[in-house]
Amino acid sequence: MDGPEFRDRSPRHSRPRTTWRIFRGLAAAAVIAGAAFLAAGFIYGDPRFSGLFEVSRGTGPGTAMAGQPGQPAVAESVRTDTPPPGVEEQDEPLGHPQKPDVASESYKFLATNDDGTPVGYSPCRPLHYVVNAALAPEGAERLVEDAISTISRATGIQFVDDGPTTEAPSQSRIPYQRDVYGERWAPLLIAWTTPDQAPQLKGPVIGTGGSTHFSFGDGPKSFVTGSLELDAPQIAEDLSQTDGSAYATAVILHELGHVMGLEHVNDPVQLMYPEIGAPDGLAAGDLNGLYQLGKAQCRKDL
Ligand SMILES: [Zn+2]
């Protein structure tokens, strides 16, 4: 039995230390009665909707957030297929999130359930990922592996590298691609790409990341797949500079934070601040948010 789909994409991350913009979108979802009909609310950038908007603000950490969030994207009902439920789902979480050393409430979630719990991935199954590394700068693939290890420790989510893919990034990626990936949710797609291939990376935006969540009716939501797009030319340029790998790592961690379910915060100390000034890695708020996301519900039903 299928349920309504809610598609959620995160805000985009913009390049630091320059005039920059934040692109944000809000999910809207329509619940459609009928077993096999899924309702999809596509977020920013989907050319079918006007969910894309931008907020401009000055440079420098601590600048007050300007502008207003945009209106929710229009929802659309679509018919789609889902894989058999509970693929690889175990009775218990496969790992446990590392408890942060320092308490902090400086985090925000992209989506929450009615009971206030954050929407995350089921910790009772592995999160598979594939990498389209055709355009990856020299040495950059290792940075992705390291960042995934860091996120795995913080969330307890067990990642499985399914190897390379030729799948191109898409702003309306289909979450179940049986012909490509078999009878399971499509793996997380990590794509080294360009603004030409991924127009949302045009201008100062250096990376984007987000996940798709599903639920049955008004029931609890769970992420089932996601994608992360990295601006290969911009990151290659950064890697040629001092501290370039630390900065590139910060970008990848930030986007993975969105993938896992973290929203931007208006706190320049956190990596989920929209601008990375000092790439010191995950801060206390980021870690506490990821810790909460690592305790999401297990989902044999999805
Ligand atoms: Zn961001």
Side-chain angles (χ1 to χ4, degrees), residues 221-238:
K221 307 176 189 81
S222 180
F223 289 138
V224 291
T225 188
S227 68
L228 192 164
E229 298 82 27
L230 296 164
D231 188 327
Q234 273 202 68
I235 293 177
E237 188 187 320
D238 289 323

Side-chain angles (χ1 to χ4, degrees), residues 10-14 207 254-255 258 264 271-274:
S10 77
R12 300 162 185 199
H13 180 259
S14 63
H254 177 102
E255 302 308 337
H258 285 318
H264 287 151
L271 204 50
M272 292 317 294
Y273 188 67

Side-chain angles (χ1 to χ4, degrees), residues 83-84 87-88 128-133 160-170 173-191 224-227:
V87 174
E88 293 188 292
H128 290 261
Y129 67 95
V130 290
V131 183
N132 185 335
V160 175
D161 182 359
D162 283 358
T165 183
T166 56
E167 185 185 353
S170 164
R173 186 176 184 237
I174 298 169
Y176 179 37
Q177 304 178 42
R178 183 171 47 198
D179 292 348
V180 182
Y181 298 112
E183 293 196 333
R184 54 170 177 148
W185 295 108
L188 167 65
L189 172 63
I190 298 173
V224 291
T225 188
S227 68

Side-chain angles (χ1 to χ4, degrees), residues 183-288:
E183 293 196 333
R184 54 170 177 148
W185 295 108
L188 167 65
L189 172 63
I190 298 173
W192 291 92
T193 184
T194 67
D196 280 343
Q197 287 183 1
Q200 71 269 33
L201 294 172
K202 285 207 165 107
V205 178
I206 196 167
T208 57
S211 290
T212 300
H213 58 72
F214 266 68
S215 69
F216 292 100
D218 294 332
K221 307 176 189 81
S222 180
F223 289 138
V224 291
T225 188
S227 68
L228 192 164
E229 298 82 27
L230 296 164
D231 188 327
Q234 273 202 68
I235 293 177
E237 188 187 320
D238 289 323
L239 285 173
S240 70
Q241 297 170 7
T242 311
D243 292 335
S245 66
Y247 173 61
T249 295
V251 171
I252 297 165
L253 284 170
H254 177 102
E255 302 308 337
L256 281 170
H258 285 318
V259 168
M260 301 314 295
L262 289 181
E263 166 71 289
H264 287 151
V265 290
N266 191 22
D267 172 2
V269 172
Q270 309 303 325
L271 204 50
M272 292 317 294
Y273 188 67
E275 176 180 359
I276 300 167
D280 296 329
L282 298 169
D286 305 313
L287 289 166
N288 278 272

